[in-house]
Amino acid sequence: MAQRHATMGDRILFVEDEPEMLQFLARYFSRRGYAVTAAASGEEAWRLLSQTTYDLVVCDQALDGISGLDLLRMIRETDRDLPFIMITGAGTIETAVEAIKIGAFHYVTKPFKPGELAILASRAVEFGKLHRKLSRIHADEDEADRSIVIGNNRRILEMMQTIEKISGSDAPVLIQGETGTGKSVFARRIHETSRRRGRPFVTIDCGALPENLIESELFGHVKGAFTGAVRPKRGLLEEADGGTIFLDEIGEMTAATQTKLLRALQDLVIKPVGGNQIVAIDVRYISATNKDLHQEVAAGRFREDLYYRLAVIPLYLPPLRERREDIIPFVRNFVRELNRRYGKRVSKVDPLVLQSFMEAPWKGNIRELKNVLERSVLLAEGAAITADCLSPSPAGRGVADRVPKHPVSLKTAVEAAERQTIRSALAAASGNRSKAAEILGIGRRTLYAKMAAYGIE
């Protein structure tokens, strides 16, 4: 089996009380690109772990004082993701099994081949990185959300074309748009179409973290950097190394943090809070904000030089009220996904409700639409969403208020919804009737007939 050399900076802590073995392991793995630290006892290893972060611990079980099992238990009390490989004697398989139960990645028995340990170490490091990545990624939007926020709006389609054009670039991207328009979904789409797909996609919400924590989250900190910093911590920029960092609500970032971020963009290095050591990073930056950063720069609340660094590729997501041709496809796809999630069988939306959807202001944009539909699907007693399903929520009441109070004929309601849908499809297709018919799922002759009946140009 081919042996993978370490990614620059992968850090291994070896714990072994036999000096010759410890020296051999340190030399062998250093030659393979790992940053190696050696500890001759469990006590020394624990002290090192309190000062530095590692990607892997390889430890002999038979240690005086703090044994290998003891050290593993101590680590698992504070870190569930740090990979740990146990080295045991030939007659201590029971100990190895116990280590696996506690949370060791694997074990090797003496005597062992160094090449086999190297392969195991490589797998353990990758395993640890994967778990850290999974714990960091904020999966705010599921697969259904990602598919339906694209839609057929011409500006959105142009935006998707831009994303395809920059797929081979690492240029920073700034996405601006109102809350709820799907900025985080498009950020992930940019990452997934880039050459960094398969590498970490790490999100940090700059508006959700207190001012005294955002620097620590971004850049990490050393032990004792501030009250409560009892252990060193790797920052999210370092966790995203090789991948993409998504800075959501970048407009909320403090002036001091903006200055540090600018240096990271310019010099490709970061310095943990309270530390002196510089750490090199390789990340692609995607930022998002619901603020107008031009105005923020003019008001002196956002650094102009940082703005131009982040906005090499500026994108703007229009609000839902400016892309009404996408409302009906959104409703259809959301209802389908919600049926799967909740085991419901909603297949229709009352025409009057659909008409109110088309006319509503949707101040909360796609997020508000989804919330209204989720509540409506849950409350629907039959196969249709009616006005009665909307009223319990404030957002739903706003939509329900637009449903006509006096009954109208079903034919009138259906025709109104159908007329609006055809107009939306034609707008999405830039007037191309064949494409509009394809969007609507009908034949061209049927479309021509309906356009003539409704007087649509």
Side-chain angles (χ1 to χ4, degrees), residues 1-290:
M1 180 182 293
Q3 185 173 317
R4 183 191 74 89
H5 279 218
T7 302
M8 186 64 68
D10 287 349
R11 290 169 283 195
I12 301 182
L13 173 62
F14 285 99
V15 191
E16 172 62 68
D17 59 2
E18 295 182 13
E20 293 181 359
M21 175 63 77
L22 187 60
Q23 184 179 7
F24 168 76
L25 290 173
R27 184 170 60 249
Y28 184 88
F29 279 83
S30 294
R31 289 174 178 171
R32 278 151 183 77
Y34 290 95
V36 174
T37 302
S41 67
E43 288 79 3
E44 183 182 2
W46 183 244
R47 178 179 59 80
L48 291 168
L49 285 164
S50 67
Q51 298 172 349
T52 309
T53 56
Y54 294 93
D55 297 292
L56 172 64
V57 175
V58 180
C59 179
D60 191 355
Q61 157 53 22
L63 299 172
D64 292 333
I66 297 177
S67 69
L69 278 178
D70 292 335
L71 181 62
L72 175 57
R73 290 189 183 97
M74 293 163 68
I75 291 173
R76 286 295 171 258
E77 289 179 358
T78 57
D79 191 336
R80 305 299 302 176
D81 296 328
L82 176 60
F84 189 104
I85 295 176
M86 184 76 77
I87 299 176
T88 68
T92 56
I93 297 300
E94 295 82 359
T95 301
V97 173
E98 179 66 19
I100 296 296
K101 290 181 179 179
I102 296 173
F105 176 79
H106 218 297
Y107 67 91
V108 294
T109 56
K110 295 180 179 179
F112 56 84
K113 295 180 180 180
E116 294 177 353
L117 178 59
I119 293 172
L120 191 60
S122 172
R123 292 173 181 169
V125 169
E126 290 303 311
F127 175 85
K129 287 181 177 179
L130 174 62
H131 272 254
R132 284 194 296 271
K133 180 177 73 172
L134 291 175
S135 64
R136 294 294 189 187
I137 291 177
H138 300 290
D140 295 330
E141 308 287 349
D142 57 23
E143 291 294 332
D145 294 336
R146 287 195 233 171
S147 66
I148 68 109
V149 297
I150 305 305
N152 297 311
N153 177 268
R154 181 161 46 190
R155 292 159 71 184
I156 296 297
L157 295 177
E158 290 173 353
M159 182 174 169
M160 292 304 299
Q161 291 173 355
T162 301
I163 290 174
E164 290 179 8
K165 290 178 182 178
I166 65 173
S167 61
S169 166
D170 283 338
V173 179
L174 174 64
I175 307 173
Q176 298 186 87
E178 295 180 8
T179 299
T181 50
K183 297 186 292 294
S184 63
V185 178
F186 276 88
R188 183 175 287 278
R189 175 61 68 94
I190 294 169
H191 170 73
E192 290 175 347
T193 57
S194 75
R195 64 183 183 85
R196 293 176 182 263
R197 60 184 177 274
R199 302 297 296 170
F201 177 83
V202 180
T203 299
I204 182 166
D205 188 342
C206 302
L209 289 172
E211 182 178 343
N212 61 331
L213 290 182
I214 189 169
E215 286 192 26
S216 172
E217 287 294 311
L218 275 174
F219 309 112
H221 63 251
V222 299
K223 181 183 178 182
F226 50 84
T227 303
V230 296
R231 288 175 58 83
K233 178 181 179 180
R234 190 183 303 190
L236 292 180
L237 283 172
E238 192 174 355
E239 292 285 356
D241 191 42
T244 301
I245 185 79
F246 175 45
L247 300 171
D248 200 8
E249 300 305 338
I250 187 74
E252 304 296 333
M253 186 174 284
T254 63
T257 308
Q258 289 178 35
T259 301
K260 280 195 171 185
L261 180 61
L262 179 63
R263 183 189 178 196
L265 276 159
Q266 291 174 333
D267 302 336
L268 306 180
V269 297
I270 58 172
K271 183 185 291 185
V273 176
N276 296 316
Q277 185 176 0
I278 290 176
V279 180
I281 56 170
D282 171 27
V283 298
R284 199 260 183 92
Y285 291 88
I286 302 177
S287 307
T289 179
N290 59 10

